[in-house]
Amino acid sequence: MARTILLCAGGTGGHLFPAEAVANVLEERGWRVELATDRRTGDYGSQFPASAIHIVPSATPSGRGPLGKIIAATKLGWGLVRAIGLVRRVRPAVAAGFGGYPTVPPILAAKLWGVPTIIHEQNVVLGRANRLLARFARRIATASSAVVLPAALVPKTAMTGNPIRPAVRDAARIVYRSPQPDGPIQLLIFGGSQGARFLSEIVPAAIEKLRPSLLGRLRIVQQCRQEDLASVGALYQAIGAEAELATFFSNLPIMIARSHLVICRSGATTVAELGVIGRPAILIPMPGAIDQDQLANAETLAAIGGGWMFEEKNLGVRQLAAEMTELFENPERLAKAATAAAGAGRADGAERLADLIDEVAGSGLPANGGAEQIGREEAGA
């Protein structure tokens, strides 16, 4: 009889895509996969390889007033009750969490029911939900050895890398080619489910300021919120720019691979996929995050020359237009950044995390299942 794993992830691409990558590997190894998530899943969960998808009530208490925190705690409490019932029915051999507060009820329920748990952190900074769950997890998997942890957590932590979906690895086979003089320039813009609004405002306005000879070469693909599609489309039409707009692209890895330049946010999954595919990017971290995880992700890629990081608060339309002009007129800079990004990419994260799951389930694999131990500790911890 197949062992069952309960994968738990927040309902955004940044959490679901790594979980999806691991789910594919586990299914190939004979596991039965079930997913616990929240109602935001939508398009991001449509391709998830799970036998069942369970919606568990949850809420985010961070950054709210006293009443908001009480309401969030109540929802999380109700989610825990529902999750306990879910764990009793599913009876997983292991529960694995991929971040976001929707993972808190099912991972805690698994712990209470005696199910071994693993959490995976995609960012350089340990997220709040994972920080809460880390003490209860049997193992902690990280995307980077740069993650700083309390000393008590280091012995049970292993660096696996970020799990990468098969579609991303397929796209990585496409070799980067710099734009040719007077040839088309493929530009991809996306911001995920939460970060697209600012990009819909600043990028079209910056493109409008490009000189006609560059503007005429652009082939734009842009992800927008539903409420922004009409205004962004109207602006591109008014300036004669060739653009394809949508609220969601199911084939985003291929679109990244076909691009000469990507302008995007810097979620952990996005940065990892840029590295595996090897594409240059202008990274604009989401502002306002308590832990500034996207800023840390962007700084990591920019530091090795794989892209260019600009904080939203400091980035103006004219500056972005000037940066695009400089890059398009000097395509060797794009090619150099593509090579640097590819040098940082790691495509085996899903297999390494699956090895760790097999280890925790008691399959007899060697300790760490091929994952690397890490030893970074918080100063003074």
Side-chain angles (χ1 to χ4, degrees):
M1 182 176 178
R3 296 170 297 176
T4 298
I5 185 165
L6 183 63
L7 300 182
C8 313
T12 63
H15 297 305
L16 283 169
F17 288 160
E20 177 187 329
V22 174
N24 281 304
V25 175
L26 291 172
E27 277 203 331
E28 291 175 358
R29 296 184 182 186
W31 284 81
R32 173 185 169 87
V33 176
E34 300 203 15
L35 172 67
T37 184
D38 65 88
R39 295 190 182 280
R40 297 173 298 167
T41 305
D43 291 324
Y44 292 103
S46 61
Q47 304 298 317
F48 202 98
S51 300
I53 297 179
H54 310 278
I55 304 301
V56 177
S58 66
T60 302
S62 302
R64 300 185 176 206
L67 179 59
K69 291 182 184 297
I70 291 172
I71 294 173
T74 301
K75 288 183 178 179
L76 286 168
W78 173 234
L80 178 59
V81 172
R82 294 279 299 274
I84 289 173
L86 171 63
V87 171
R88 290 178 63 184
R89 292 195 309 274
V90 173
R91 296 185 178 276
V94 179
F98 289 82
Y101 275 98
T103 65
V104 172
I107 292 295
L108 286 181
K111 176 67 176 178
L112 290 171
W113 204 248
V115 176
T117 62
I118 295 174
I119 60 171
H120 180 271
E121 178 55 58
Q122 296 100 52
N123 294 287
V124 177
V125 179
L126 198 65
R128 299 234 156 189
N130 275 347
R131 201 176 304 168
L132 172 65
L133 295 171
R135 72 190 73 176
F136 305 112
R138 182 170 297 183
R139 298 303 301 268
I140 301 168
T142 66
S144 169
S145 58
V147 177
V148 179
L149 298 161
L153 300 181
V154 170
K156 62 180 180 179
T157 300
M159 197 278 284
T160 61
N162 260 326
I164 298 298
R165 297 173 289 159
V168 176
R169 287 188 279 195
D170 290 343
R173 298 190 182 102
I174 299 175
V175 178
Y176 183 78
R177 307 290 186 192
S178 300
Q180 298 301 303
D182 300 323
I185 301 170
Q186 306 289 343
L187 176 64
L188 174 65
I189 306 114
F190 64 92
S193 58
Q194 301 178 48
R197 180 191 59 80
F198 177 75
L199 299 185
S200 292
E201 293 173 354
I202 192 169
V203 179
I207 289 173
E208 186 179 15
K209 294 192 177 298
L210 298 180
R211 68 171 186 271
S213 60
L214 281 179
L215 181 59
R217 296 171 58 196
L218 281 184
R219 307 293 182 266
I220 303 162
V221 175
Q222 183 164 352
Q223 179 236 339
C224 304
R225 302 183 307 166
Q226 183 66 45
E227 53 266 42
D228 296 329
L229 282 174
S231 60
V232 173
L235 190 151
Y236 284 141
Q237 186 174 17
I239 63 177
E242 182 178 323
E244 176 186 352
L245 309 178
T247 58
F248 178 78
F249 292 108
S250 60
N251 59 339
L252 189 60
I254 289 295
M255 291 182 165
I256 292 174
R258 291 173 178 168
S259 300
H260 293 119
L261 176 66
V262 178
I263 301 177
C264 59
R265 295 301 195 179
S266 51
T269 298
T270 295
V271 171
E273 293 183 353
L274 287 169
V276 171
I277 299 172
R279 294 300 179 266
I282 292 176
L283 302 165
I284 308 172
M286 279 276 288
I290 296 173
D291 299 309
Q292 291 295 298
D293 52 312
Q294 288 208 8
L295 179 64
N297 297 336
E299 287 176 337
T300 299
L301 189 61
I304 62 168
W308 302 270
M309 192 273 288
F310 296 92
E311 290 191 66
E312 183 175 310
K313 64 183 179 182
N314 300 325
L315 183 62
V317 170
R318 293 185 182 278
Q319 182 184 10
L320 180 57
E323 185 67 24
M324 284 193 289
T325 298
E326 170 66 20
L327 292 173
F328 296 152
E329 289 183 343
N330 297 280
E332 68 278 1
R333 291 187 63 199
L334 293 172
K336 184 177 180 180
T339 300
R346 188 168 199 164
D348 64 348
E351 288 78 10
R352 292 158 68 89
L353 183 51
D355 287 348
L356 199 63
I357 289 168
D358 279 327
E359 175 212 318
V360 169
S363 66
L365 285 176
N368 297 328
E372 299 173 11
Q373 286 295 116
I374 70 171
R376 293 287 302 274
E377 299 179 8
E378 288 180 348

